[in-house]
Amino acid sequence: MFCVPSSEIGAIMNITKGGLVLFSANSNSSCMELSKRIAERLGVEMGKVQVYQEPNRETRVQIQESVRGKDVFIIQTVSKDVNTTIMELLIMVYACKTSCAKSIIGVIPYFPYSKQCKMRKRGSIVSKLLASMMCKAGLTHLITMDLHQKEIQGFFNIPVDNLRASPFLLQYIQEEIPDYRNAVIVAKSPASAKRAQSFAERLRLGIAVIHGEAQDAESDMVDGRHSPPTAKYVAAIHPSLEIPMLIPKEKPPITVVGDVGGRIAIIVDDIIDDVDSFLAAAETLKERGAYKIFVMATHGLLSSDAPRLIEESAIDEVVVTNTIPHEIQKLQCPKIKTVDISMILSEAIRRIHNGESMSYLFRNIGVDD
């Protein structure tokens, strides 16, 4: 588990070679909190840049200091207007490229469109498109955190450091949840079982998996490549040839594999956005005897009515990191708590700028983490 003593962090954060420039690509001031925390830990000032929207909604970026021959780190946290966020990043990267920056490193804690990383029906793999756009704009390195699918790293032709938030969430469980030894780690669907197993093994706790109607709809979407051929091609198939048909899926009744009776249930996942599946999982766990329910996730998108639904639900606490700003949601729902991950992002920036190994940040990280 990654953990650096605060005294050690204080000693090493200011040791950076010259030629580092730190920019925030957000025009939304509420999204700059993480950038300020990182700059404070590194002991550097934020770079001078103007990012704003023209009256016709075009994005304009004006870099107000020299970046020639320097390592430029562009921190971009995703706002509610995700498409504007992407354009701000692309335009700033290209502006640094044309201003002769030595290297341009994107620090994107939550990679947008990461859920669209597989072919669905006749759609497209949007995260691959976004990766190509970033590389074409001039990005030379990417720092991100807990990609929805680790295979997204393969969409880039530049180095990608996919950091993990789990050490900070594990630390929160150990320090902030009383009697966590009486807890059980819960996967709200079979797809989340590997993450839950990783948490359970590190905390020496049991695991439970919810299977049935509460599982993610994402895994049940039909891939369009299995569509039947059009009528003009049917005659080409030999009359004696019978292609076996796949048996249609039928969701079993909802089941909890594992004992949660009289225990604290801790549901773990990478993203919490549409909270319906989490609410259904919480109700199921309550029915099975869990007396307290926590939800732990790296990225708290918390879209639409999520704060109100969480406040009215059986969930006792939702713990997310500050990869995405959610101060407004916290005001609407006191159950939402935040874990700061600026420490690991700052250390990643320092190591890349100084040409040091990144392996320290991935100690004890397994394939399934």
Side-chain angles (χ1 to χ4, degrees):
M1 187 172 76
F2 169 71
C3 184
V4 182
S6 57
S7 58
E8 184 180 340
I9 285 291
I12 64 178
M13 277 302 172
N14 288 318
I15 306 174
T16 55
K17 299 176 183 177
L20 180 148
V21 181
L22 203 64
F23 286 133
S24 174
N26 286 111
S27 58
N28 189 339
S29 58
S30 66
C31 297
M32 296 182 65
E33 182 62 32
L34 181 60
S35 304
K36 292 175 182 176
R37 286 175 180 264
I38 291 172
E40 185 179 344
R41 288 186 180 275
L42 287 169
V44 299
E45 296 289 332
M46 291 297 301
K48 297 176 182 177
V49 63
Q50 276 192 331
V51 184
Y52 57 94
Q53 307 296 318
E54 297 277 16
N56 62 358
R57 301 299 298 162
E58 288 184 359
T59 299
R60 185 174 291 274
V61 173
Q62 296 281 355
I63 297 175
Q64 298 178 319
E65 63 179 87
S66 175
V67 296
R68 182 179 294 273
K70 296 181 180 179
D71 292 331
V72 178
F73 291 84
I74 301 174
I75 303 168
Q76 183 68 318
T77 50
V78 177
S79 66
K80 292 298 179 186
D81 189 352
V82 62
N83 295 325
T84 298
T85 300
I86 291 168
M87 284 306 300
E88 289 171 348
L89 174 66
L90 294 175
I91 294 172
M92 182 171 285
V93 168
Y94 190 65
C96 292
K97 178 184 177 181
T98 54
S99 298
C100 302
K102 178 185 174 184
S103 60
I104 307 166
I105 299 94
V107 183
I108 310 171
Y110 170 68
F111 188 74
Y113 286 98
S114 59
K115 285 189 174 183
Q116 298 188 47
C117 61
K118 297 178 181 178
M119 181 65 75
R120 300 296 186 191
K121 295 187 177 180
R122 292 170 182 83
S124 60
I125 306 176
V126 183
S127 53
K128 166 62 177 172
L129 170 64
L130 186 54
S132 301
M133 291 166 64
M134 289 181 179
C135 295
K136 189 68 176 177
L139 209 64
T140 59
H141 197 135
L142 176 67
I143 301 171
T144 187
M145 180 165 280
D146 281 338
L147 288 168
H148 186 56
Q149 296 289 341
K150 298 178 187 67
E151 292 77 10
I152 292 174
Q153 295 174 83
F155 295 162
F156 291 85
N157 55 16
I158 58 174
V160 177
D161 288 309
N162 182 27
L163 303 175
R164 305 297 196 275
S166 52
F168 298 92
L169 297 176
L170 289 166
Q171 186 180 39
Y172 184 93
I173 292 172
Q174 293 172 317
E175 295 179 357
E176 302 296 332
I177 299 181
D179 197 23
Y180 81 92
R181 290 292 181 190
N182 188 37
V184 59
I185 305 298
V186 180
K188 69 179 179 66
S189 72
S192 308
K194 284 186 177 180
R195 178 181 293 269
Q197 181 182 358
S198 173
F199 272 67
E201 289 175 352
R202 282 171 164 76
L203 293 168
R204 313 298 191 264
L205 299 176
I207 183 174
V209 180
I210 297 175
H211 178 57
E213 295 178 357
Q215 65 183 332
D216 288 336
E218 182 185 354
S219 59
D220 299 325
M221 294 177 70
V222 178
D223 191 325
R225 290 171 292 182
H226 297 301
S227 299
T230 54
K232 64 179 181 178
Y233 293 113
V234 174
I237 300 175
H238 195 277
S240 64
L241 180 63
E242 289 189 16
I243 301 174
M245 298 295 291
L246 196 63
I247 299 171
K249 289 183 179 180
E250 183 177 341
K251 291 183 180 179
I254 192 163
T255 350
V256 178
V257 182
D259 181 22
V260 298
R263 313 283 286 278
I264 299 171
I266 303 175
I267 305 171
V268 297
D269 213 336
D270 62 328
I271 299 172
I272 176 167
D273 185 6
D274 179 8
V275 297
D276 290 344
S277 59
F278 290 93
L279 302 184
E283 289 295 334
T284 302
L285 293 169
K286 277 287 186 185
E287 291 171 6
R288 300 299 195 279
Y291 72 88
K292 209 164 188 183
I293 298 170
F294 291 80
V295 174
M296 315 284 292
T298 303
H299 309 296
L301 274 68
L302 301 169
S303 303
S304 191
D305 288 335
R308 178 182 61 81
L309 294 172
I310 291 170
E311 185 66 25
E312 297 171 357
S313 73
I315 297 172
D316 293 281
E317 196 168 285
V318 173
V319 183
V320 292
T321 72
N322 56 345
T323 56
I324 297 172
H326 48 261
E327 293 306 315
I328 295 175
Q329 289 89 331
K330 287 177 69 175
L331 293 174
Q332 297 171 341
C333 176
K335 291 182 180 181
I336 300 171
K337 309 296 181 184
T338 307
V339 174
D340 181 27
I341 44 81
S342 62
M343 179 191 296
I344 192 171
L345 293 174
S346 305
E347 179 64 3
I349 290 172
R350 190 194 69 81
R351 285 176 176 268
I352 290 172
H353 175 61
N354 291 345
E356 299 176 18
S357 171
M358 294 286 286
S359 60
Y360 178 74
L361 304 183
F362 294 95
R363 292 181 307 166
N364 301 325
I365 298 293
V367 176
D368 297 330
D369 290 321

